[in-house]
Amino acid sequence: MTVIDISASVMQFLLAFVVVAPLLGAVAALLPAPPGLKGKNPDQAVLRHGVTVTGAVLIATIVLAVGFDHDHPATMQATTDISWIPALDVRIHLGIDGISLPLLLLTALLTFLCALYSYFKLPAGPSPKAFVALVLVLESGTLATFAVLDLLLFFLAFEMVLIPMYFLIARWGGGQRQAAAWKFILYTLLGSVVMLLGILLIGLKSGTFDMVALATDNGRGLTTSVQVIAALAIGIGLAVKTPMWPLHSWLPDAHTAAPTVGSVLLAGVLLKMGTYGFVRILLPIAPDGMRTFAPYLAAFAVVGIVYGSLACLALARTGAKGDLKRLIAYSSVGHMGFVLLGIATMTPTGVNGALFANIAHGLITGLLFFLVGAIKDRYGTADLDTLAGATGAALYGRAPRLGALLAFAAIASLGLPGLAGFWGEMLTLFGAYSPAEGLSRPAFRTFMAIGAFGTLLTAAYMLIVVRRVCMGEHTPHSRLSPDDRAPRAADGPEPSGAAGARPTATTPQLADIQTYEAAAWTPLAALTVLAGLWPAVLLGLTDPAVQKLLAGGKS
């Protein structure tokens, strides 16, 4: 069933446009603006250009989704297959199925919202031209990663995003940005070198880099030893990008230093590339190698779940001087642990849960980083102790809508039933209860129990954050400085007020949610509710594709 019947050639064009348009837009962003488009400010034209290009890509992706045959989501659609390097049998092979389509939509949506947000709130740094161009290159590389069906092209697209993200952190980031950017690039490049060796091994031993042909073969053309070596090499590279404990240490520094939109794209899009690689490459192409390492992957995943939660609890406690952005970054380590646990089960239930958790994490954590960035802009700090107690700064009293949305995102992140975060974690744990044949049930049920304990820890630190930031500390004798009592003029006009939010001597007002912020954040909140109440929309796409993938290309 298709919502609108679109011809195959138009679908091919749309997918090619989605991948290539941001790259062409990045080149155009560096050119001088036509005289009629400069606007009031020299920087305004290029920022408007960024919104226009990302908006066009989002519209094309939505049309692609509307024209997608939802009755056959396991079939590759909108395919293009052109010979590129005949000597190596490398082809420009593009296509989408029920696994990659949601990730394309998520990427296009988040990049558009980041461009829209940056139009009104550009991070401090060098030329806006360079900023817009880097964001567009980043979008093109990410979309290509989810659309290409050739292993070497996948590697090139996978690497294409590293340089833009490095410069976004190093040039537009906050404190310690140079060190964080170097750590990010070194970790990911070293992982990528190992991954390339695994990809070359598969291509040379099988005689092709075509991901569809390799998935259909399901490892039958590769010996077990080749699969084990390839799974280890490729898995290390993907695990760095995911990131999996203990290869995660670049992530908190990168998130803490990155500008708001950089953190949103890093958490919402880039982390998904690693887990997508596990599902698209290792599960179908090297199943024996994946089965060998699945228990270890699951063990590292549950350690990451508990470790990330304990790190968040340590940052959230009073007096720890914890940074709220850093706390959300560590929460990503835990959430991606659930994704890896689902993949390690090698079952349709677990893998569907992992894919659902991927999308939910992109929506919820993207929203959280937007909100934390807004809070940091208003207070001038993301230090939890300062936000909670030193100034009596309870968000519910000072900016009620902002406080309510932060509480909503935190509750969604802890996996409340009825919101998107619940289904992925639940399906992952169900998958761990009955792992694939050949995997140890007692071991995976132990991992399931540890993961379930991690959900309790997640609830604990998220509720502590809501209590401290939204309600403030109980400090009846605290006194505010004159600066704290005054509204921050730089944050925009003072809101007209809301019930229960009158300025007092102990709850000075902040600018509440602005119009451009509401425009950037509302889609994420709405989709979080939609995915939570109607999970069949996403699972109906992924499940047939996952079933076919795990069955070796047979529907």
Side-chain angles (χ1 to χ4, degrees):
M1 178 193 71
T2 56
V3 180
I4 297 177
D5 191 17
I6 300 176
S7 68
S9 58
V10 174
M11 291 286 282
Q12 287 178 342
F13 169 77
L14 285 172
L15 185 57
F17 174 82
V18 161
V19 172
V20 175
L23 205 56
L24 298 177
V27 174
L30 298 175
L31 301 175
L37 297 177
K38 286 186 177 178
K40 301 175 183 177
N41 188 304
D43 299 334
Q44 207 173 36
V46 73
L47 294 172
R48 191 186 303 116
H49 171 78
V51 175
T52 303
V53 173
T54 55
V57 171
L58 176 59
I59 291 170
T61 311
I62 292 171
V63 174
L64 199 62
V66 168
F68 187 82
D69 184 357
H70 292 263
D71 284 338
H72 301 91
T75 304
M76 283 294 171
Q77 301 179 33
T79 54
T80 299
D81 192 0
I82 304 169
S83 180
W84 185 33
I85 307 175
L88 296 175
D89 193 29
V90 178
R91 311 182 69 80
I92 299 176
H93 192 180
L94 304 176
I96 54 169
D97 63 358
I99 293 172
S100 51
L101 180 60
L103 290 166
L104 281 179
L105 286 165
L106 177 67
T107 301
L109 174 65
L110 282 176
T111 312
F112 169 70
L113 297 180
C114 285
L116 181 65
Y117 186 83
S118 299
Y119 181 79
F120 295 96
K121 191 74 177 178
L122 183 69
S127 162
K129 282 189 173 186
F131 177 83
V132 171
L134 289 169
V135 169
L136 291 174
V137 171
L138 185 70
E139 180 182 33
S140 180
T142 310
L143 291 168
T145 301
F146 299 137
V148 297
L149 298 172
D150 183 277
L151 279 177
L152 283 182
L153 273 185
F154 174 87
F155 177 78
L156 293 176
F158 197 84
E159 295 303 287
M160 183 176 166
V161 304
L162 299 185
I163 300 304
M165 183 53 71
Y166 167 81
F167 281 110
L168 285 174
I169 296 171
R171 303 302 299 275
W172 283 270
Q176 304 296 315
R177 60 181 182 267
Q178 292 291 345
W182 272 110
K183 199 170 185 179
F184 162 77
I185 200 78
L186 288 176
Y187 261 84
T188 48
L189 280 179
L190 288 173
S192 298
V193 169
V194 182
M195 184 172 75
L196 178 60
L197 296 177
I199 287 174
L200 292 175
L201 177 64
I202 287 177
L204 294 174
K205 290 294 183 180
S206 65
T208 181
F209 290 101
D210 186 273
M211 292 160 69
V212 176
L214 287 166
T216 304
D217 187 62
N218 202 222
R220 286 181 285 269
L222 301 171
T223 64
T224 301
S225 58
V226 168
Q227 288 191 44
V228 169
I229 295 170
L232 179 61
I234 296 173
I236 288 173
L238 297 173
V240 171
K241 184 66 74 73
T242 298
M244 178 187 78
W245 181 92
L247 303 174
H248 69 284
S249 61
W250 61 269
L251 183 71
D253 292 340
H255 270 309
T256 305
T260 297
V261 294
S263 292
V264 172
L265 293 174
L266 184 57
V269 174
L270 264 68
L271 302 190
K272 311 302 171 276
M273 295 165 62
T275 51
Y276 174 78
F278 276 104
V279 175
R280 180 65 76 195
I281 298 173
L282 291 187
L283 281 177
I285 295 175
D288 293 341
M290 187 67 185
R291 192 170 288 106
T292 300
F293 290 110
Y296 304 101
L297 179 63
F300 284 128
V302 295
V303 171
I305 291 170
V306 175
Y307 171 83
S309 298
L310 292 176
C312 290
L313 281 171
L315 288 169
R317 76 177 191 273
T318 304
K321 293 291 181 184
D323 186 282
L324 189 52
K325 282 189 77 177
R326 195 173 189 85
L327 185 146
I328 303 302
Y330 271 110
S331 78
S332 291
V333 176
H335 288 303
M336 299 313 289
F338 279 103
V339 178
L340 290 173
L341 177 61
I343 293 168
T345 68
M346 299 183 70
T347 63
T349 301
V351 176
N352 275 305
L355 293 171
F356 199 104
N358 243 353
I359 300 298
H361 177 265
L363 295 173
I364 297 167
T365 308
L367 178 58
L368 278 169
F369 274 116
F370 267 134
L371 293 167
V372 173
I375 291 170
K376 188 173 182 179
D377 288 338
R378 285 158 169 77
Y379 286 108
T381 181
D383 177 74
L384 268 168
D385 288 336
T386 303
L387 296 178
T391 62
L395 269 183
Y396 286 156
R398 302 188 68 183
R401 296 179 187 85
L402 183 60
L405 193 55
L406 178 64
F408 166 83
I411 290 171
S413 183
L414 63 82
L416 184 75
L419 298 176
F422 171 72
W423 295 106
E425 293 180 4
M426 186 192 71
L427 291 171
T428 293
L429 295 176
F430 279 171
Y433 184 80
S434 299
E437 187 179 349
L439 299 178
S440 169
R441 284 200 171 193
F444 271 82
R445 288 180 180 179
T446 302
F447 298 146
M448 181 197 74
I450 297 172
F453 176 66
T455 63
L456 299 178
L457 295 177
T458 303
Y461 71 73
M462 279 299 179
L463 292 175
I464 290 171
V465 168
V466 171
R467 177 179 62 80
R468 297 193 67 202
V469 177
C470 295
M471 302 177 187
E473 293 296 320
H474 181 60
T475 52
H477 301 297
S478 65
R479 292 291 181 267
L480 299 172
S481 67
D483 290 339
D484 289 322
R485 293 191 184 99
R488 306 292 177 89
D491 293 327
E494 193 68 21
S496 58
R502 295 176 183 173
T504 69
T506 56
T507 57
Q509 290 295 93
L510 290 175
D512 213 333
I513 296 178
Q514 306 294 295
T515 303
Y516 72 92
E517 293 173 330
W521 303 343
T522 300
L524 300 179
L527 288 171
T528 298
V529 175
L530 177 64
L533 295 178
W534 197 9
V537 173
L538 185 54
L539 293 174
L541 281 173
T542 61
D543 185 53
V546 167
Q547 298 275 2
K548 181 177 179 180
L549 207 66
L550 294 176
K554 303 180 186 70
S555 298

